[in-house]
Amino acid sequence: MTTGLHPGEAPQDPRPTGNQILPRQERVGPGTLYADNRTRSSVITARAAATFDPVGRSVATARSFVRDTLQGWGFADIVDDAVVLTSELVTNAVIHAGTSADVLCLRSDDGIRIEVADRYPEREIPLQGSPANMGSPDREGGRGLQLCAALASRWGVEYTSTKKQVWFQLDLPERAIGTRSAGPALPAALLPLADGRVRVAVIQIDRVGSIAAWNEDADELFGYAPESVIGKPLTDLAAWPHTPGTGTGIAEALQLSRWEGSYGIRGANGRVIPVYASHLRVRDTDGEPSTVCLLVRDHERAVLQTPLRGSSSDTTSSSDGPNTDPFEVFIGSPAPDDLDGLLQRTVERARDMLDADSAFLLLATDDETELEVRASTGLPSARQRFARVPVEAGPGRYGSARMPAVHDDLSAVPGAVPLLSGTGMRSVVTVPLKVEGRLTGSLGVAAESPGRFTNEEALRLQFAADRIALAVESARLGELERLRRGSLSFLVEASDLLAGTLDRDQTLALMAQMTVPTLATWCAVYTIADQASEPYLSYVLHEDEDRIDGLKALLSKIAPPDPVPTPGARVWSAPAAAAHQAALRTSMRSLSLNSPTSVGSGIGTTLATAAAVGGETVVLPLVARNRVIGMLTLGKPTDEHFRQEILELAEDLSRRAALALDNARLYSERTAISQSLQRSLLPPELPHIDGVEVEVIYRAAGEGNEVGGDFYDLFPIRDGAYGFAIGDVCGTGPEAAAVTGLARHALRLLAREGFGGPAVLERLNSAILDEGARSRFLTLLYGELWPQEDGSAVLKVVCAGHPLPLRLRQDGTVEPAAEPQPLLGVLEDLELYEQTITLDPGDVLLCVTDGVTERREGTRMLGDDGLTDVLRTCTGLTAGAVAARIMRAVERFASDAPSDDMAILAMRVPGRQKD
């Protein structure tokens, strides 16, 4: 970008003559659309021009240029409209047309005119009589002209053989004479505090810097009578910030058209009195320049201080003309809404002000022990951004960021400014940023040649730092507040996600996904099973999925970080060092091969992995219940660093993640124990019975339950005889499962001791009653099965309070296969009997628990009749097909998940196959 600012100069434009803008009428679009510029003419009092390259960032730069120019001219009332229109027109030029854009700002007594020209080689020639069409507001093209028509007083479009120019004019609104800015009405308690009557010292300084006038308030404030100071240089009395006894700094400040800031005046008693001053350079009727200085006590600065975003006075009336300090435009401009924009603009203009090669700005941490790089120009910003350096790097004043310093040759003092190591910079000047005496940052300007900066230039930079320090601190606090609000939202969402799962692997995945890429470029989670175990690499994630495998392989080859329980993030250099060595070895091997292309892909992968982990890597301990259960490792790519706020947020996240991970671990352990115990209550496997098909389907109610109150069993008793059982303990869950285990194991033991069905159930009844308060009543169908040589099967069954078994014959008839008898666990004296049935070839015996028959939806229930209807449709099916059809019918009967345990036991005697 190139700029030119010429106060009081007529525009060098071939169209106007003298200082007049000629009236004209210009065609602005297709058809008969015109913009009239003949209503009035104005004297041009100032102009500013700039050229912007065809790149995306030029749009933002153009906005800043127009905003700064109009603020400097005192046109704050129309700044916003001008910036909007300029942004649209420059966007059309540099983005859509792809050419550079020339912006010209012209100031007149009643407003401003801005011209934006591009160099697009082609243009659309409007057809005579065609309807005007500037496009839809929702489209990118044509929107700039619509905005001109809506916001500008006059506007137009001009075409030449080499460029197109769009211009618009904004008139100043009418406002009361003398009104420049105003603040809100405040209660008396909130008004600034002053000591007695406010005294404003008025001191006038002549061309050579000597005091020409000294009013009564100056006498009262500083103790000097007018006759004792008139004719003396002001530099004899002024104590300039950080540089006592140096007079050239204030002499230069007195040459500026307007200046505000703090310094000190030595009183008659020898003490320095802090003052806040406003300087205005004027000239008398003879053209003789002088500077009027208004001074108040520093704590009464509200009397003189210009509001941060108020309109500025006309700074272009200085007699210095084009030699006005270029930083003056920056000082008079409002601060951007975002901190990064303000800092970047600061370093760029600080570099330009001292005609240097680079500049950088660092902000202090809350405890003022470290400085963090936040903006730079002319330096490898990607490498330096968020790097941290100590405030006190050495014992002398040149090693402290709290004092201004000039280094004439950095090669003579290696490491004096670590930030510039390896950058080729030889000389540097640094000044502190302070707000109310507290260090808030440091501003530095560097050059490639030695001895580049003088004390006078250091003072100019200090003036700029003093002016911008408050704006920087205000923007920093605003950014910090937004970051803290965002951090709270992030932590709330993270807590919800982590609390929503008790699965260990899913918790590990969530931990990594929440940090990448929000907090870091890559993440690795190490877990520790117990105090005697070594850390284990459990999860690795990178924002680029193609880098995950290489990163995992690299981390697997190096020793894990030490499980230190100390809170906070600590730097871990092993990954970056290992990646660097791996890349070096790979490169050396490739150079020793005759055909390097044969390992090209391997070299690329290794170098990419090295770049991915080459930045700062930190480790945060995962501590839960006073034990380190793992480490959360976060990393950045080559030469990048973490912000302190990000590390604090990561530390908060690690505490929540550690508790969630430990809860998942405990839940997994308890679930594994529970499932192991539950599996012990089920039969290990069903025996094969010659001549009989058997199928079992079992569903336990409740999440994570494998066994509930329902149970089944099928086991050999002796040669040719098998016992089977299906039962239902009152209730569900672990208490019911405990009675289930008692019943199943007792049945096997008693049956194999030779007891018949009634005796087995009577003894089981006594065992249940012996449980006392833990006893549960039990419904049970128990039977013994004997396959016969003729293909049939004989069964002896006892149905103790259980749903009756159903027999399906080959002709499709269904009938109960037993009679009901008392359930177990209620009465002490039971008289049970067994019934004998014979299953012919093709017959099916179906046994279910009440979870099947009592399947409900609203007031409807499947019931015994519904089960019978389904079983009738199973003629000719195998035992497995019969059980599957029954379960499918039960599931489809209601849309809700089953709330009771269910067990289905189907036995079928197949027909004898013919030879």
Side-chain angles (χ1 to χ4, degrees):
M1 181 188 79
T2 59
T3 64
L5 183 63
H6 309 286
E9 180 183 357
Q12 303 300 316
D13 194 319
R15 295 187 307 275
T17 60
N19 289 337
Q20 302 293 323
I21 299 179
L22 297 182
R24 61 190 171 198
Q25 189 177 51
E26 304 167 35
R27 182 182 299 273
V28 296
T32 59
L33 183 60
Y34 292 91
D36 194 356
N37 190 33
R38 296 177 299 177
T39 57
R40 60 180 176 178
S41 61
S42 302
V43 175
I44 297 176
T45 58
R47 61 179 281 157
T51 299
F52 302 94
D53 296 331
V55 292
R57 64 176 180 271
S58 292
V59 179
T61 308
R63 288 197 297 264
S64 298
F65 165 71
V66 172
R67 183 179 294 276
D68 293 347
T69 300
L70 300 191
Q71 286 283 358
W73 289 346
F75 289 170
D77 295 335
I78 57 177
V79 163
D80 291 337
D81 288 348
V83 168
V84 169
L85 294 176
T86 304
S87 179
E88 287 293 333
L89 298 178
V90 173
T91 298
N92 290 337
V94 303
I95 301 299
H96 301 304
T99 75
S100 59
D102 298 328
V103 179
L104 174 64
C105 300
L106 302 175
R107 185 187 70 177
S108 61
D109 296 334
D110 52 3
I112 59 101
R113 171 186 170 109
I114 295 179
E115 301 176 356
V116 179
D118 64 47
R119 298 183 177 87
Y120 193 59
E122 299 178 1
R123 65 185 186 274
E124 179 183 356
I125 303 298
L127 299 177
Q128 182 69 27
S130 61
N133 179 17
M134 291 183 291
S136 166
D138 296 328
R139 297 177 60 251
E140 288 293 328
R143 190 169 59 190
L145 298 183
Q146 286 190 328
L147 288 174
C148 286
L151 300 179
S153 304
R154 289 176 295 281
W155 61 280
V157 182
E158 294 179 347
Y159 289 105
T160 70
S161 60
T162 59
K163 68 178 182 178
K164 180 187 75 173
Q165 176 176 283
V166 181
W167 62 269
F168 61 88
Q169 183 160 331
L170 298 173
D171 294 336
L172 283 177
E174 296 294 335
R175 62 185 179 184
I177 297 176
T179 301
R180 298 303 301 268
S181 64
L186 295 176
L190 298 180
L191 296 175
L193 183 64
D195 296 338
R197 183 172 75 83
V198 175
R199 297 186 180 276
V200 180
V202 180
I203 307 173
Q204 193 162 1
I205 313 299
D206 61 17
R207 177 191 291 270
V208 296
S210 297
I211 300 174
W214 184 273
N215 75 337
E216 183 179 347
D217 278 358
D219 187 353
E220 292 292 335
L221 283 175
F222 309 123
Y224 298 106
E227 58 272 12
S228 65
V229 293
I230 291 178
K232 293 184 178 180
L234 178 63
T235 55
D236 290 349
L237 304 180
W240 210 247
H242 311 299
T243 54
T246 303
T248 53
I250 188 171
E252 184 176 3
L254 293 175
Q255 297 300 313
L256 299 177
S257 62
R258 179 176 292 277
W259 185 89
E260 280 186 36
S262 299
Y263 54 92
I265 295 291
R266 293 185 183 86
N269 58 5
R271 301 181 62 181
V272 174
I273 302 172
V275 297
Y276 189 84
S278 175
H279 297 177
L280 177 64
R281 193 161 174 80
V282 298
R283 59 181 175 174
D284 58 21
T285 55
D286 297 329
E288 184 68 17
S290 63
T291 302
V292 177
C293 305
L294 307 180
L295 298 87
V296 297
R297 294 183 180 91
D298 190 64
H299 65 272
E300 297 172 344
R301 62 171 57 195
V303 177
L304 299 180
Q305 189 171 24
T306 300
L308 183 60
R309 288 186 176 271
S311 58
S312 302
S313 299
D314 187 352
T315 60
T316 61
S317 60
S318 169
S319 61
D320 295 337
N323 296 324
T324 300
D325 189 344
F327 213 82
E328 186 70 7
V329 177
F330 169 78
I331 292 175
S333 64
D337 293 333
D338 65 300
L339 177 62
D340 290 337
L342 173 60
L343 300 184
Q344 192 61 36
R345 189 169 62 177
T346 299
V347 295
E348 290 173 357
R349 299 196 177 182
R351 176 199 60 189
D352 297 341
M353 183 183 72
L354 299 186
D355 193 22
D357 298 313
S358 64
F360 53 89
L361 194 149
L362 302 88
L363 294 184
T365 56
D366 291 338
D367 57 3
E368 296 184 24
T369 59
E370 287 186 314
L371 294 168
E372 189 176 64
V373 180
R374 292 300 303 271
S376 65
T377 181
L379 296 174
S381 57
R383 177 171 69 86
Q384 303 292 350
R385 188 165 170 80
F386 300 124
R388 290 179 295 277
V389 297
V391 170
E392 306 292 346
R397 63 165 294 179
Y398 293 103
S400 174
R402 302 181 187 276
M403 301 291 290
V406 176
H407 294 271
D408 288 331
D409 193 349
L410 292 176
S411 62
V413 190
V417 183
L419 194 64
L420 300 179
S421 298
T423 61
M425 300 297 156
R426 294 283 299 276
S427 56
V428 61
V429 53
T430 60
V431 296
L433 275 71
K434 293 187 177 182
V435 175
E436 297 179 352
R438 182 174 59 87
L439 180 70
T440 60
S442 177
L443 176 63
V445 177
E448 295 179 352
S449 58
R452 174 65 181 76
F453 304 106
T454 63
N455 288 344
E456 289 78 5
E457 290 173 312
L459 288 174
R460 293 179 62 197
L461 188 63
Q462 185 66 67
F463 298 156
D466 291 342
R467 295 300 306 274
I468 200 63
L470 186 59
V472 169
E473 181 66 3
S474 177
R476 187 189 74 85
L477 293 176
E479 180 196 65
L480 186 60
E481 179 64 21
R482 290 190 296 271
L483 181 61
R484 285 174 177 170
R485 290 181 180 179
S487 300
L488 289 176
S489 299
F490 173 78
L491 291 175
V492 168
E493 183 178 357
S495 299
D496 290 342
L497 290 173
L498 292 171
T501 179
L502 287 172
D503 181 82
R504 176 182 176 275
D505 294 337
Q506 189 174 0
T507 302
L508 290 172
L510 284 174
M511 290 170 58
Q513 291 167 6
M514 285 186 292
T515 57
V516 176
T518 305
L519 305 181
T521 305
W522 63 270
C523 168
V525 183
Y526 292 84
T527 57
I528 303 174
D530 52 60
Q531 295 181 353
S533 301
E534 292 294 325
Y536 174 75
L537 182 62
S538 299
Y539 200 91
V540 175
L541 184 65
H542 193 282
E543 64 179 6
D544 184 355
E545 294 183 358
D546 295 337
R547 301 283 173 262
I548 295 178
D549 292 338
L551 178 59
K552 186 182 297 183
L554 174 69
L555 295 177
S556 300
K557 295 177 182 178
I558 62 178
D562 296 331
V564 178
T566 305
R570 69 181 192 276
V571 177
W572 185 33
S573 59
H580 175 74
Q581 292 297 325
L584 182 62
R585 288 194 299 268
T586 303
S587 301
M588 295 297 292
R589 284 198 301 268
S590 68
L591 293 175
S592 65
L593 296 176
N594 295 329
S595 177
T597 57
S598 61
V599 293
S601 61
I603 295 176
T605 301
T606 303
L607 295 179
T609 302
V613 300
E616 188 175 35
T617 301
V618 297
V619 179
L620 298 107
L622 298 175
V623 181
R625 299 175 176 89
N626 299 322
R627 187 174 73 86
V628 180
I629 63 171
M631 285 87 70
L632 178 64
T633 303
L634 306 179
K636 287 281 190 179
T638 300
D639 296 325
E640 289 196 15
H641 301 265
F642 286 98
R643 295 182 58 178
Q644 186 63 33
E645 295 86 355
I646 295 298
L647 293 179
E648 293 173 358
L649 180 58
E651 185 178 356
D652 287 339
L653 176 64
S654 68
R655 287 194 290 267
R656 290 164 169 79
L659 188 58
L661 183 61
D662 198 46
N663 289 338
R665 177 188 63 83
L666 294 175
Y667 178 79
S668 299
E669 291 178 356
R670 282 158 175 73
T671 300
I673 294 172
S674 174
Q675 291 176 347
S676 177
L677 292 175
Q678 290 182 57
R679 283 191 292 269
S680 69
L681 302 178
L682 296 175
E685 59 182 8
L686 296 178
H688 174 72
I689 303 177
D690 293 333
V692 178
E693 298 174 358
V694 179
E695 182 65 27
V696 174
I697 296 179
Y698 183 82
R699 297 284 190 273
E703 182 180 358
N705 291 333
E706 295 190 16
V707 177
D710 291 7
F711 69 96
Y712 68 93
D713 202 358
L714 180 65
F715 55 92
I717 299 176
R718 63 188 73 89
D719 292 342
Y722 297 86
F724 67 90
I726 183 170
D728 184 1
V729 178
C730 173
T732 59
E735 295 82 1
V739 179
T740 296
L742 172 64
R744 194 176 71 79
H745 292 294
L747 287 175
R748 288 196 173 209
L749 179 63
L750 295 172
R752 288 171 177 171
E753 288 295 323
F755 293 99
V760 169
L761 267 61
E762 290 170 0
R763 286 167 172 74
L764 176 59
N765 181 65
S766 299
I768 293 174
L769 293 175
D770 289 343
E771 290 294 309
R774 296 181 299 174
S775 65
R776 299 289 184 100
F777 63 80
L778 167 68
T779 68
L780 180 64
L781 172 66
Y782 173 75
E784 295 179 359
L785 168 68
W786 287 273
Q788 303 298 309
E789 293 182 359
D790 61 358
S792 63
V794 176
L795 293 83
K796 294 183 178 181
V797 298
V798 179
C799 187
H802 199 77
L804 299 179
L806 299 179
R807 177 179 181 177
L808 171 65
R809 296 186 181 274
Q810 287 188 351
D811 59 2
T813 60
V814 177
E815 59 185 8
E819 296 177 354
Q821 300 185 56
L823 52 77
L824 308 181
V826 178
L827 303 176
E828 293 185 0
D829 297 327
L830 289 180
E831 294 184 2
L832 303 175
Y833 59 91
E834 63 184 7
Q835 297 173 270
T836 302
I837 58 175
T838 301
L839 295 180
D840 297 326
D843 289 354
V844 175
L845 183 69
L846 178 66
C847 309
V848 300
T849 58
D850 60 5
V852 174
T853 57
E854 294 180 2
R855 177 71 163 147
R856 297 176 181 273
E857 183 172 38
T859 59
R860 296 171 52 240
M861 186 173 72
L862 180 63
D864 296 334
D865 294 339
L867 181 62
T868 300
D869 293 340
V870 176
L871 184 59
R872 286 197 184 99
T873 66
C874 299
T875 304
L877 300 181
T878 64
V882 171
R885 179 169 292 186
I886 298 298
M887 177 56 70
R888 190 161 53 249
V890 172
E891 291 175 343
R892 292 178 177 176
F893 185 81
S895 58
D896 296 337
S899 59
D900 196 4
D901 304 328
M902 292 188 294
I904 300 174
L905 172 62
M907 294 183 291
R908 178 176 178 269
V909 178
R912 183 183 296 276
Q913 296 182 355
K914 297 181 180 179
D915 297 334

